[in-house]
Amino acid sequence: MPSSPRRLAVAPSWVLAAALPLLFLHVRYQPGLQVALGSTTVDAYLSDFAVLTVVVTAIVEARRRGLEPLVAGRALWVAGALFLAWMFVGVAYGHLHAGSYPWQTHLVTAAKFAEYALLAPAIPLLLRSSRDLLLPIWSVALWSAAATVVGIAQFFGAAIFLAGTVGRRQASFLSSADFAALSAAALLVGVVAIVAPRVRGARVPAAIATVSGALGMIVAGAVASVLGLGTALAVLLAVLVLRRELVLRRVVLVGAIAAVVLLGVVAIRGSDLDAFARFLGASPGATSGPPEKVQTYAHRTLLAWIGFEIWKDHPVLGVGWEGSAEPVNFEPYLPAAHLRFPDEAPLAFPSAAPGRRYGVQNSWIQALADLGVIGLALWVGVFGAAVWTAARGLGSVTALYGLVVTALLVWLWAAQGFVAGIPLDALTFLAFGAAATRLAHE
């Protein structure tokens, strides 16, 4: 009987640890079900049930042990609630702005985005002491290792999961962007464990997370993740200096790891970076006429330009949640886009055709286009509140981790538009939750 309270205490960390792999798995490999809702359908995957299980467990813990852990994140909860409320306003306004706007479809995606947002307040309710961290750390480390092994196998020619071109960037069992996000998050677990070793028993999983995260970032080949890693490490260095916790040998080790990741990603993405340099006119050898293939970074620049043009004509309210991907909203700007980007491949331009409603693919500009300047201010406010919340609790390793991952996320969301139910959503709200978590016995 005396051991019963201990079993209850570790149960929430087991739930979170079990949920993490499902949150970082492409929906193609998850069982799911569809429910008709008017003119649209609701897709529910195993990851959705993982989110709900985590949230329900957090509610049980709140009833059993109280809501006090949520106090530290009050500013973050308010900022998040305001953004989510404006997101739903955006759905309503999108329907008013254009009759062809499929409001039921976008209402479903908004609800799923809000569902994932519930992960943030769940984290401080589930993780209340340092011993609760060990199982989630192991889960991240082992899942990152599995993803990296798959990615490396794909790199050398294994036609498994979402394999890409041999010798180029890979997606493992996620998308390439989400693979990079998982790997960067795992690497930062290891980095924080190196510079602030406060979790007993975490040395081995932290080492696994470090190696698998670094290799995974290289194979995933996402430049945004490298920029995010650099920003995260700069923030971490500033914290260590301010707190007088700087240990030179640890900093040198982390710097060496970061350098390897940078060189590896540049090597894998060299042709894409060279193509972008030619697009900008900074590299010789540009060919005449539009290329046959879509060039990644030039394509993103084109889409960002269209998003910015949409915002300029709808500065306050935008065109509705995810409305920038609707033909009625982007088609008026296509003639000007063709004149502005005459050397882009025809497939780079969005259209109403299936698979070509690309969206803006940059959440910061998409927030402007979809939700107006108010929406961007609220989206930025959520990140600002996360930084503020983490900075007030840096004595806790979870807050430190939340801070550096938030710095990473700024760049990851610069290469990703709002898509509900993807691993980046999960990482975002898990990081925000970590920023608000204060551990006992640390």
Side-chain angles (χ1 to χ4, degrees):
M1 291 300 294
S3 63
S4 179
R6 177 173 296 181
R7 285 198 299 270
L8 287 172
V10 299
S13 63
W14 275 99
V15 172
L16 179 60
L20 288 173
L22 300 177
L23 297 176
F24 292 92
L25 177 64
H26 197 283
V27 293
R28 180 180 298 184
Y29 307 110
Q30 299 183 38
L33 56 88
Q34 288 188 335
V35 178
L37 179 64
S39 61
T40 189
T41 58
V42 179
D43 295 308
Y45 298 99
L46 201 56
S47 53
D48 293 300
F49 293 102
V51 171
L52 294 177
T53 301
V54 169
V55 172
V56 169
T57 304
I59 293 172
V60 171
E61 284 297 290
R63 294 190 62 181
R64 191 171 72 90
R65 303 171 69 184
L67 292 169
E68 185 180 355
L70 296 180
V71 173
R74 284 176 295 187
L76 181 55
W77 315 142
V78 171
L82 289 174
F83 175 76
L84 294 176
W86 190 251
M87 177 180 66
F88 284 104
V89 171
V91 174
Y93 179 73
H95 183 52
L96 293 174
H97 171 72
S100 61
Y101 176 86
W103 68 270
Q104 290 179 320
T105 298
H106 294 304
L107 179 62
V108 169
T109 61
K112 181 168 286 195
F113 196 81
E115 169 201 332
Y116 270 66
L118 293 175
L119 288 169
I123 298 305
L125 293 172
L126 296 177
L127 304 179
R128 302 196 181 215
S129 69
S130 58
R131 67 184 179 186
D132 294 330
L133 285 180
L134 193 55
L135 284 173
I137 289 174
W138 269 109
S139 181
V140 170
L142 294 179
W143 195 243
S144 171
T148 297
V149 168
V150 170
I152 292 174
Q154 292 169 336
F155 182 84
F156 287 106
I160 54 176
F161 295 103
L162 298 172
T165 304
V166 176
R168 301 293 296 274
R169 67 184 306 200
Q170 302 296 333
S172 187
F173 41 67
L174 302 102
S175 69
S176 55
D178 287 325
F179 179 24
L182 169 62
S183 299
L187 176 55
L188 286 175
V189 167
V191 167
V192 170
I194 290 171
V195 302
R198 303 174 192 171
V199 181
R200 183 177 300 176
R203 179 175 296 181
V204 173
I208 296 172
T210 302
V211 174
S212 65
L215 293 176
M217 284 187 67
I218 293 171
V219 176
V223 173
S225 68
V226 175
L227 295 172
L229 177 65
T231 305
L233 295 181
V235 170
L236 181 59
L237 180 63
V239 170
L240 295 175
V241 171
L242 290 174
R243 293 176 60 86
R244 298 182 180 180
E245 296 178 356
L246 194 65
V247 179
L248 184 59
R249 67 178 185 278
R250 295 174 181 172
V251 173
V252 170
L253 174 59
V254 171
I257 294 170
V260 170
V261 171
L262 173 61
L263 293 174
V265 171
V266 169
I268 281 187
R269 299 302 301 277
S271 60
D272 292 322
L273 292 171
D274 184 61
F276 188 51
R278 292 197 303 271
F279 168 78
L280 296 175
S283 176
T287 58
S288 61
E292 295 181 0
K293 295 182 179 180
V294 176
Q295 305 297 327
T296 302
Y297 299 112
H299 186 217
R300 291 186 182 278
T301 303
L302 161 63
L303 297 177
W305 183 87
I306 292 175
F308 190 72
E309 293 299 308
I310 292 173
W311 170 71
K312 282 164 56 177
D313 288 336
H314 308 87
V316 179
L317 300 178
V319 293
W321 169 251
E322 297 181 326
S324 54
E326 294 298 329
V328 68
N329 291 318
F330 67 72
E331 284 180 340
Y333 302 94
L334 290 180
H338 281 280
L339 292 175
R340 179 67 176 79
F341 301 94
D343 296 328
E344 281 304 285
L347 284 176
F349 294 86
S351 79
R356 290 185 57 188
R357 298 188 184 190
Y358 302 127
V360 176
Q361 298 186 12
N362 179 317
S363 78
W364 308 104
I365 297 177
Q366 186 183 355
L368 278 174
D370 290 359
L371 304 174
V373 69
I374 297 174
L376 175 63
L378 292 174
W379 183 230
V380 171
V382 176
F383 278 77
V387 170
W388 168 258
T389 300
R392 296 184 64 190
L394 288 178
S396 175
V397 69
T398 47
L400 179 60
Y401 182 73
L403 178 64
V404 295
V405 176
T406 299
L408 165 73
L409 289 167
V410 170
W411 287 99
L412 296 183
W413 279 109
Q416 174 66 60
F418 293 118
V419 179
I422 61 174
L424 183 57
D425 297 340
L427 177 60
T428 299
F429 294 112
L430 290 169
F432 290 166
T437 300
R438 308 291 184 260
L439 300 175
H441 315 300
E442 190 172 13

